[in-house]
Amino acid sequence: AYGSMFRTPDSARLAGWTAGRDYGRDDYFYQPSLRADLVLSDQATLTSISAYSRYHERAEVDADGSAYFGHQQGLFIDVDSYFQELRVGGKIDRLTYTVGGNYAKEVSDEAQRNFLASSNNGVGPARYSETRQFKNQRTETWAAFGSVDYDITDQFTLQGAVRYTKQDRNY
């Protein structure tokens, strides 16, 4: 009899979250990209690659997993990413080459909000019923690169490549 007094009714909906609250989500992600090739000559082609991606999330979550209001959580996330690459490549006799550079920028903003039912949270006189966390990150990346393949014979190719990357990250 004691155990049945504390059991949740036989309904997964009541056991999973606080009744009467809207726990809908608003999420989406998209990523368009574009590649363009321009033939400059018989020995050179200019290539451009551009991309953008966007992630968006809004969610309310019943973090305590019970039918009673104890701990609610809100998630608010936005991530934007940009990418651009330009390169020239081609073949001159036995030499195949590529030289170029790229740039990327990423911006990430996240907020998490926690609502707590008890007014006795905290330590000593510092009581709270809500906490918030914010995370913001900015990243920029630049790179330059080049590579060559030289056919010494039909069976042997000499290859060489170099790349320099610089990244700034703020969090």
Side-chain angles (χ1 to χ4, degrees):
Y2 175 76
S4 64
M5 182 185 342
F6 295 102
R7 267 196 284 170
T8 306
D10 292 334
S11 170
R13 183 172 177 85
L14 291 176
W17 53 80
T18 305
R21 302 271 309 188
D22 180 13
Y23 293 107
R25 296 180 66 106
D26 176 20
D27 301 345
Y28 61 81
F29 174 77
Y30 58 86
Q31 184 178 40
S33 62
L34 176 67
R35 177 183 170 143
D37 293 306
L38 176 63
V39 177
L40 302 174
S41 71
D42 291 343
Q43 297 147 346
T45 299
L46 174 66
T47 300
S48 171
I49 300 173
S50 304
Y52 170 73
S53 63
R54 169 95 168 136
Y55 175 73
H56 170 88
E57 178 181 332
R58 300 291 182 270
E60 292 288 331
V61 178
D62 187 344
D64 62 14
S66 73
Y68 306 101
F69 179 80
H71 180 192
Q72 305 294 314
Q73 190 176 72
L75 302 172
F76 310 92
I77 302 169
D78 287 302
V79 180
D80 292 289
S81 179
Y82 312 90
F83 177 81
Q84 177 63 53
E85 178 172 297
L86 288 173
R87 66 178 182 242
V88 175
K91 185 169 174 86
I92 304 171
D93 195 28
R94 295 175 164 231
L95 179 75
T96 304
Y97 69 93
T98 302
V99 63
N102 57 42
Y103 170 77
K105 181 177 182 178
E106 292 146 5
V107 176
S108 174
D109 295 315
E110 180 179 342
Q112 179 177 328
R113 192 175 58 207
N114 294 284
F115 298 102
L116 305 165
S118 173
S119 62
N120 197 25
N121 298 310
V123 177
R127 302 290 181 208
Y128 57 87
S129 61
E130 181 180 346
T131 63
R132 294 178 183 223
Q133 297 174 325
F134 300 97
K135 301 170 199 139
N136 304 97
Q137 182 169 276
R138 308 289 185 265
T139 306
E140 283 189 284
T141 307
W142 298 267
F145 55 87
S147 69
V148 294
D149 291 1
Y150 185 77
D151 296 330
I152 298 171
T153 68
D154 290 342
Q155 296 178 337
F156 294 103
T157 301
L158 180 63
Q159 297 178 324
V162 64
R163 180 181 179 93
Y164 174 78
T165 302
K166 181 181 185 308
Q167 185 176 80
D168 293 331
R169 182 181 301 259
N170 295 309
Y171 179 79

